[in-house]
mmCIF file of all heavy atoms in Angstrom:
data_model
loop_
_atom_site.group_PDB
_atom_site.id
_atom_site.type_symbol
_atom_site.label_atom_id
_atom_site.label_comp_id
_atom_site.label_asym_id
_atom_site.label_seq_id
_atom_site.Cartn_x
_atom_site.Cartn_y
_atom_site.Cartn_z
ATOM 1 N N ILE L 30 -0.338 6.021 -52.129
ATOM 2 C CA ILE L 30 -0.201 5.275 -50.879
ATOM 3 C C ILE L 30 1.260 4.921 -50.673
ATOM 4 O O ILE L 30 1.844 4.173 -51.453
ATOM 5 C CB ILE L 30 -1.054 3.999 -50.899
ATOM 6 C CG1 ILE L 30 -2.521 4.361 -51.109
ATOM 7 C CG2 ILE L 30 -0.876 3.219 -49.608
ATOM 8 C CD1 ILE L 30 -3.429 3.168 -51.185
ATOM 9 N N PRO L 31 1.891 5.454 -49.617
ATOM 10 C CA PRO L 31 3.309 5.163 -49.379
ATOM 11 C C PRO L 31 3.511 3.721 -48.941
ATOM 12 O O PRO L 31 2.649 3.128 -48.296
ATOM 13 C CB PRO L 31 3.693 6.136 -48.262
ATOM 14 C CG PRO L 31 2.414 6.385 -47.542
ATOM 15 C CD PRO L 31 1.323 6.318 -48.590
ATOM 16 N N VAL L 34 6.407 2.991 -44.827
ATOM 17 C CA VAL L 34 6.090 3.343 -43.437
ATOM 18 C C VAL L 34 6.834 2.472 -42.440
ATOM 19 O O VAL L 34 6.964 2.824 -41.288
ATOM 20 C CB VAL L 34 4.578 3.231 -43.175
ATOM 21 C CG1 VAL L 34 3.832 4.333 -43.878
ATOM 22 C CG2 VAL L 34 4.058 1.873 -43.559
ATOM 23 N N VAL L 35 7.303 1.326 -42.865
ATOM 24 C CA VAL L 35 8.028 0.442 -41.961
ATOM 25 C C VAL L 35 9.420 0.161 -42.514
ATOM 26 O O VAL L 35 9.992 -0.883 -42.283
ATOM 27 C CB VAL L 35 7.262 -0.883 -41.754
ATOM 28 C CG1 VAL L 35 6.065 -0.680 -40.871
ATOM 29 C CG2 VAL L 35 6.848 -1.474 -43.091
ATOM 30 N N LEU L 42 8.890 -7.435 -44.193
ATOM 31 C CA LEU L 42 7.579 -7.919 -43.783
ATOM 32 C C LEU L 42 7.160 -9.044 -44.706
ATOM 33 O O LEU L 42 6.882 -8.841 -45.872
ATOM 34 C CB LEU L 42 6.559 -6.776 -43.835
ATOM 35 C CG LEU L 42 6.821 -5.630 -42.863
ATOM 36 C CD1 LEU L 42 5.793 -4.544 -43.050
ATOM 37 C CD2 LEU L 42 6.836 -6.120 -41.449
ATOM 38 N N ASP L 45 1.568 -12.836 -43.156
ATOM 39 C CA ASP L 45 0.242 -12.279 -43.427
ATOM 40 C C ASP L 45 -0.080 -11.135 -42.474
ATOM 41 O O ASP L 45 -0.598 -10.102 -42.871
ATOM 42 C CB ASP L 45 -0.828 -13.372 -43.304
ATOM 43 C CG ASP L 45 -0.766 -14.350 -44.470
ATOM 44 O OD1 ASP L 45 0.065 -14.118 -45.374
ATOM 45 O OD2 ASP L 45 -1.521 -15.320 -44.474
ATOM 46 N N THR L 46 0.243 -11.342 -41.181
ATOM 47 C CA THR L 46 -0.096 -10.331 -40.190
ATOM 48 C C THR L 46 0.640 -9.024 -40.457
ATOM 49 O O THR L 46 0.038 -7.948 -40.470
ATOM 50 C CB THR L 46 0.247 -10.832 -38.776
ATOM 51 O OG1 THR L 46 -0.495 -12.027 -38.520
ATOM 52 C CG2 THR L 46 -0.103 -9.788 -37.730
ATOM 53 N N SER L 47 1.953 -9.104 -40.687
ATOM 54 C CA SER L 47 2.717 -7.884 -40.891
ATOM 55 C C SER L 47 2.355 -7.211 -42.207
ATOM 56 O O SER L 47 2.351 -5.992 -42.310
ATOM 57 C CB SER L 47 4.228 -8.172 -40.839
ATOM 58 O OG SER L 47 4.585 -9.156 -41.786
ATOM 59 N N SER L 48 2.050 -8.005 -43.246
ATOM 60 C CA SER L 48 1.644 -7.421 -44.519
ATOM 61 C C SER L 48 0.322 -6.684 -44.370
ATOM 62 O O SER L 48 0.137 -5.595 -44.923
ATOM 63 C CB SER L 48 1.518 -8.518 -45.589
ATOM 64 O OG SER L 48 2.764 -9.125 -45.833
ATOM 65 N N THR L 49 -0.594 -7.272 -43.621
ATOM 66 C CA THR L 49 -1.872 -6.617 -43.361
ATOM 67 C C THR L 49 -1.657 -5.300 -42.633
ATOM 68 O O THR L 49 -2.218 -4.262 -42.991
ATOM 69 C CB THR L 49 -2.792 -7.531 -42.528
ATOM 70 O OG1 THR L 49 -3.031 -8.732 -43.247
ATOM 71 C CG2 THR L 49 -4.116 -6.848 -42.218
ATOM 72 N N GLU L 50 -0.809 -5.329 -41.612
ATOM 73 C CA GLU L 50 -0.541 -4.122 -40.835
ATOM 74 C C GLU L 50 0.148 -3.068 -41.688
ATOM 75 O O GLU L 50 -0.118 -1.869 -41.532
ATOM 76 C CB GLU L 50 0.328 -4.464 -39.613
ATOM 77 C CG GLU L 50 0.568 -3.299 -38.663
ATOM 78 C CD GLU L 50 -0.710 -2.790 -38.019
ATOM 79 O OE1 GLU L 50 -1.722 -3.483 -38.045
ATOM 80 O OE2 GLU L 50 -0.672 -1.659 -37.479
ATOM 81 N N GLN L 51 1.013 -3.489 -42.600
ATOM 82 C CA GLN L 51 1.683 -2.529 -43.465
ATOM 83 C C GLN L 51 0.675 -1.780 -44.334
ATOM 84 O O GLN L 51 0.776 -0.569 -44.508
ATOM 85 C CB GLN L 51 2.707 -3.231 -44.360
ATOM 86 C CG GLN L 51 3.481 -2.258 -45.254
ATOM 87 C CD GLN L 51 4.454 -2.962 -46.179
ATOM 88 O OE1 GLN L 51 4.346 -4.155 -46.398
ATOM 89 N NE2 GLN L 51 5.402 -2.213 -46.719
ATOM 90 N N ILE L 52 -0.295 -2.501 -44.856
ATOM 91 C CA ILE L 52 -1.321 -1.860 -45.678
ATOM 92 C C ILE L 52 -2.146 -0.900 -44.826
ATOM 93 O O ILE L 52 -2.445 0.228 -45.248
ATOM 94 C CB ILE L 52 -2.218 -2.907 -46.349
ATOM 95 C CG1 ILE L 52 -1.402 -3.777 -47.307
ATOM 96 C CG2 ILE L 52 -3.368 -2.243 -47.110
ATOM 97 C CD1 ILE L 52 -2.158 -4.963 -47.867
ATOM 98 N N VAL L 53 -2.519 -1.336 -43.628
ATOM 99 C CA VAL L 53 -3.302 -0.476 -42.733
ATOM 100 C C VAL L 53 -2.537 0.815 -42.446
ATOM 101 O O VAL L 53 -3.083 1.921 -42.547
ATOM 102 C CB VAL L 53 -3.633 -1.217 -41.419
ATOM 103 C CG1 VAL L 53 -4.233 -0.251 -40.393
ATOM 104 C CG2 VAL L 53 -4.592 -2.361 -41.683
ATOM 105 N N LEU L 54 -1.266 0.687 -42.085
ATOM 106 C CA LEU L 54 -0.463 1.869 -41.771
ATOM 107 C C LEU L 54 -0.282 2.767 -42.990
ATOM 108 O O LEU L 54 -0.320 3.997 -42.888
ATOM 109 C CB LEU L 54 0.908 1.433 -41.233
ATOM 110 C CG LEU L 54 0.919 0.766 -39.857
ATOM 111 C CD1 LEU L 54 2.316 0.244 -39.538
ATOM 112 C CD2 LEU L 54 0.451 1.727 -38.774
ATOM 113 N N SER L 55 -0.087 2.160 -44.147
ATOM 114 C CA SER L 55 0.154 2.941 -45.363
ATOM 115 C C SER L 55 -1.087 3.710 -45.792
ATOM 116 O O SER L 55 -1.003 4.882 -46.164
ATOM 117 C CB SER L 55 0.619 2.016 -46.488
ATOM 118 O OG SER L 55 1.857 1.417 -46.177
ATOM 119 N N VAL L 56 -2.249 3.051 -45.756
ATOM 120 C CA VAL L 56 -3.485 3.735 -46.138
ATOM 121 C C VAL L 56 -3.811 4.826 -45.115
ATOM 122 O O VAL L 56 -4.228 5.926 -45.489
ATOM 123 C CB VAL L 56 -4.650 2.733 -46.265
ATOM 124 C CG1 VAL L 56 -5.972 3.463 -46.488
ATOM 125 C CG2 VAL L 56 -4.392 1.760 -47.412
ATOM 126 N N THR L 57 -3.598 4.528 -43.827
ATOM 127 C CA THR L 57 -3.826 5.535 -42.789
ATOM 128 C C THR L 57 -2.943 6.756 -43.028
ATOM 129 O O THR L 57 -3.397 7.901 -42.940
ATOM 130 C CB THR L 57 -3.549 4.957 -41.396
ATOM 131 O OG1 THR L 57 -4.434 3.860 -41.157
ATOM 132 C CG2 THR L 57 -3.761 6.010 -40.312
ATOM 133 N N ARG L 58 -1.690 6.507 -43.341
ATOM 134 C CA ARG L 58 -0.768 7.629 -43.594
ATOM 135 C C ARG L 58 -1.236 8.435 -44.805
ATOM 136 O O ARG L 58 -1.187 9.674 -44.786
ATOM 137 C CB ARG L 58 0.645 7.090 -43.831
ATOM 138 C CG ARG L 58 1.651 8.159 -44.230
ATOM 139 C CD ARG L 58 3.040 7.605 -44.307
ATOM 140 N NE ARG L 58 3.938 8.494 -45.029
ATOM 141 C CZ ARG L 58 5.210 8.216 -45.288
ATOM 142 N NH1 ARG L 58 5.731 7.076 -44.890
ATOM 143 N NH2 ARG L 58 5.959 9.074 -45.954
ATOM 144 N N ALA L 59 -1.678 7.765 -45.861
ATOM 145 C CA ALA L 59 -2.150 8.474 -47.051
ATOM 146 C C ALA L 59 -3.366 9.331 -46.730
ATOM 147 O O ALA L 59 -3.540 10.426 -47.283
ATOM 148 C CB ALA L 59 -2.483 7.476 -48.159
ATOM 149 N N LEU L 76 -4.444 -2.594 -54.921
ATOM 150 C CA LEU L 76 -3.724 -2.581 -53.651
ATOM 151 C C LEU L 76 -2.863 -3.833 -53.505
ATOM 152 O O LEU L 76 -1.733 -3.764 -53.013
ATOM 153 C CB LEU L 76 -4.713 -2.481 -52.487
ATOM 154 C CG LEU L 76 -5.417 -1.131 -52.308
ATOM 155 C CD1 LEU L 76 -6.491 -1.232 -51.240
ATOM 156 C CD2 LEU L 76 -4.411 -0.052 -51.950
ATOM 157 N N GLY L 77 -3.389 -4.976 -53.929
ATOM 158 C CA GLY L 77 -2.618 -6.212 -53.867
ATOM 159 C C GLY L 77 -1.359 -6.118 -54.715
ATOM 160 O O GLY L 77 -0.268 -6.541 -54.290
ATOM 161 N N ARG L 79 0.157 -3.364 -55.560
ATOM 162 C CA ARG L 79 1.020 -2.332 -54.984
ATOM 163 C C ARG L 79 1.903 -2.910 -53.885
ATOM 164 O O ARG L 79 3.097 -2.602 -53.798
ATOM 165 C CB ARG L 79 0.153 -1.208 -54.424
ATOM 166 C CG ARG L 79 0.883 -0.135 -53.613
ATOM 167 C CD ARG L 79 1.745 0.732 -54.472
ATOM 168 N NE ARG L 79 2.163 1.948 -53.786
ATOM 169 C CZ ARG L 79 3.143 2.714 -54.181
ATOM 170 N NH1 ARG L 79 3.814 2.413 -55.273
ATOM 171 N NH2 ARG L 79 3.464 3.803 -53.525
ATOM 172 N N PHE L 80 1.326 -3.789 -53.062
ATOM 173 C CA PHE L 80 2.061 -4.329 -51.919
ATOM 174 C C PHE L 80 2.584 -5.744 -52.155
ATOM 175 O O PHE L 80 3.247 -6.305 -51.289
ATOM 176 C CB PHE L 80 1.178 -4.298 -50.666
ATOM 177 C CG PHE L 80 0.912 -2.905 -50.171
ATOM 178 C CD1 PHE L 80 -0.199 -2.198 -50.578
ATOM 179 C CD2 PHE L 80 1.793 -2.292 -49.301
ATOM 180 C CE1 PHE L 80 -0.443 -0.912 -50.131
ATOM 181 C CE2 PHE L 80 1.565 -1.004 -48.841
ATOM 182 C CZ PHE L 80 0.443 -0.316 -49.261
ATOM 183 N N GLY L 81 2.258 -6.316 -53.309
ATOM 184 C CA GLY L 81 2.740 -7.652 -53.615
ATOM 185 C C GLY L 81 2.137 -8.722 -52.735
ATOM 186 O O GLY L 81 2.831 -9.670 -52.320
ATOM 187 N N VAL L 82 0.837 -8.590 -52.435
ATOM 188 C CA VAL L 82 0.161 -9.549 -51.565
ATOM 189 C C VAL L 82 -1.133 -10.006 -52.231
ATOM 190 O O VAL L 82 -1.575 -9.438 -53.232
ATOM 191 C CB VAL L 82 -0.153 -8.942 -50.185
ATOM 192 C CG1 VAL L 82 1.121 -8.543 -49.459
ATOM 193 C CG2 VAL L 82 -1.080 -7.734 -50.323
ATOM 194 N N SER L 83 -1.751 -11.023 -51.654
ATOM 195 C CA SER L 83 -3.006 -11.543 -52.192
ATOM 196 C C SER L 83 -4.167 -10.632 -51.841
ATOM 197 O O SER L 83 -4.089 -9.805 -50.920
ATOM 198 C CB SER L 83 -3.271 -12.939 -51.630
ATOM 199 O OG SER L 83 -3.554 -12.863 -50.242
ATOM 200 N N ARG L 84 -5.275 -10.818 -52.554
ATOM 201 C CA ARG L 84 -6.471 -10.034 -52.265
ATOM 202 C C ARG L 84 -7.032 -10.396 -50.896
ATOM 203 O O ARG L 84 -7.698 -9.571 -50.266
ATOM 204 C CB ARG L 84 -7.519 -10.257 -53.358
ATOM 205 C CG ARG L 84 -7.091 -9.683 -54.707
ATOM 206 C CD ARG L 84 -8.101 -9.928 -55.792
ATOM 207 N NE ARG L 84 -9.342 -9.212 -55.561
ATOM 208 C CZ ARG L 84 -10.345 -9.169 -56.444
ATOM 209 N NH1 ARG L 84 -10.218 -9.798 -57.613
ATOM 210 N NH2 ARG L 84 -11.451 -8.498 -56.167
ATOM 211 N N THR L 85 -6.759 -11.604 -50.419
ATOM 212 C CA THR L 85 -7.217 -11.996 -49.081
ATOM 213 C C THR L 85 -6.589 -11.098 -48.026
ATOM 214 O O THR L 85 -7.269 -10.626 -47.095
ATOM 215 C CB THR L 85 -6.859 -13.463 -48.796
ATOM 216 O OG1 THR L 85 -7.514 -14.299 -49.738
ATOM 217 C CG2 THR L 85 -7.278 -13.859 -47.384
ATOM 218 N N ILE L 86 -5.290 -10.844 -48.152
ATOM 219 C CA ILE L 86 -4.611 -9.982 -47.192
ATOM 220 C C ILE L 86 -5.115 -8.552 -47.313
ATOM 221 O O ILE L 86 -5.306 -7.850 -46.314
ATOM 222 C CB ILE L 86 -3.082 -10.054 -47.404
ATOM 223 C CG1 ILE L 86 -2.589 -11.458 -47.044
ATOM 224 C CG2 ILE L 86 -2.361 -8.998 -46.563
ATOM 225 C CD1 ILE L 86 -1.116 -11.673 -47.281
ATOM 226 N N VAL L 87 -5.365 -8.105 -48.549
ATOM 227 C CA VAL L 87 -5.918 -6.762 -48.747
ATOM 228 C C VAL L 87 -7.268 -6.646 -48.059
ATOM 229 O O VAL L 87 -7.555 -5.639 -47.393
ATOM 230 C CB VAL L 87 -6.056 -6.443 -50.245
ATOM 231 C CG1 VAL L 87 -6.801 -5.128 -50.442
ATOM 232 C CG2 VAL L 87 -4.681 -6.358 -50.913
ATOM 233 N N ARG L 88 -8.108 -7.676 -48.198
ATOM 234 C CA ARG L 88 -9.430 -7.640 -47.550
ATOM 235 C C ARG L 88 -9.292 -7.553 -46.034
ATOM 236 O O ARG L 88 -10.066 -6.857 -45.368
ATOM 237 C CB ARG L 88 -10.240 -8.884 -47.935
ATOM 238 C CG ARG L 88 -10.701 -8.891 -49.383
ATOM 239 C CD ARG L 88 -11.700 -9.998 -49.636
ATOM 240 N NE ARG L 88 -11.891 -10.206 -51.064
ATOM 241 C CZ ARG L 88 -11.392 -11.214 -51.759
ATOM 242 N NH1 ARG L 88 -10.670 -12.143 -51.139
ATOM 243 N NH2 ARG L 88 -11.603 -11.317 -53.056
ATOM 244 N N GLN L 89 -8.324 -8.278 -45.469
ATOM 245 C CA GLN L 89 -8.099 -8.218 -44.028
ATOM 246 C C GLN L 89 -7.734 -6.789 -43.607
ATOM 247 O O GLN L 89 -8.223 -6.282 -42.584
ATOM 248 C CB GLN L 89 -6.976 -9.183 -43.630
ATOM 249 C CG GLN L 89 -7.329 -10.651 -43.781
ATOM 250 C CD GLN L 89 -6.138 -11.560 -43.562
ATOM 251 O OE1 GLN L 89 -5.001 -11.103 -43.435
ATOM 252 N NE2 GLN L 89 -6.374 -12.866 -43.520
ATOM 253 N N ALA L 90 -6.888 -6.156 -44.415
ATOM 254 C CA ALA L 90 -6.485 -4.784 -44.101
ATOM 255 C C ALA L 90 -7.662 -3.816 -44.214
ATOM 256 O O ALA L 90 -7.843 -2.933 -43.370
ATOM 257 C CB ALA L 90 -5.355 -4.346 -45.035
ATOM 258 N N LEU L 91 -8.468 -3.983 -45.249
ATOM 259 C CA LEU L 91 -9.628 -3.099 -45.428
ATOM 260 C C LEU L 91 -10.635 -3.279 -44.297
ATOM 261 O O LEU L 91 -11.257 -2.314 -43.843
ATOM 262 C CB LEU L 91 -10.288 -3.362 -46.782
ATOM 263 C CG LEU L 91 -9.449 -2.978 -48.011
ATOM 264 C CD1 LEU L 91 -10.165 -3.402 -49.297
ATOM 265 C CD2 LEU L 91 -9.172 -1.481 -48.031
ATOM 266 N N LEU L 94 -9.283 -1.392 -41.380
ATOM 267 C CA LEU L 94 -9.494 0.037 -41.599
ATOM 268 C C LEU L 94 -10.949 0.429 -41.388
ATOM 269 O O LEU L 94 -11.246 1.537 -40.923
ATOM 270 C CB LEU L 94 -9.041 0.419 -43.008
ATOM 271 C CG LEU L 94 -7.525 0.449 -43.223
ATOM 272 C CD1 LEU L 94 -7.195 0.389 -44.708
ATOM 273 C CD2 LEU L 94 -6.906 1.698 -42.591
#
Side-chain angles (χ1 to χ4, degrees):
I30 301 178
V34 289
V35 286
L42 296 177
D45 288 357
T46 300
S47 56
S48 297
T49 300
E50 185 64 16
Q51 182 182 18
I52 297 172
V53 170
L54 291 173
S55 296
V56 173
T57 299
R58 175 174 164 183
L76 289 173
R79 172 71 165 164
F80 291 92
V82 298
S83 68
R84 293 179 66 174
T85 298
I86 293 177
V87 172
R88 289 191 194 105
Q89 292 172 352
L91 293 175
L94 287 162

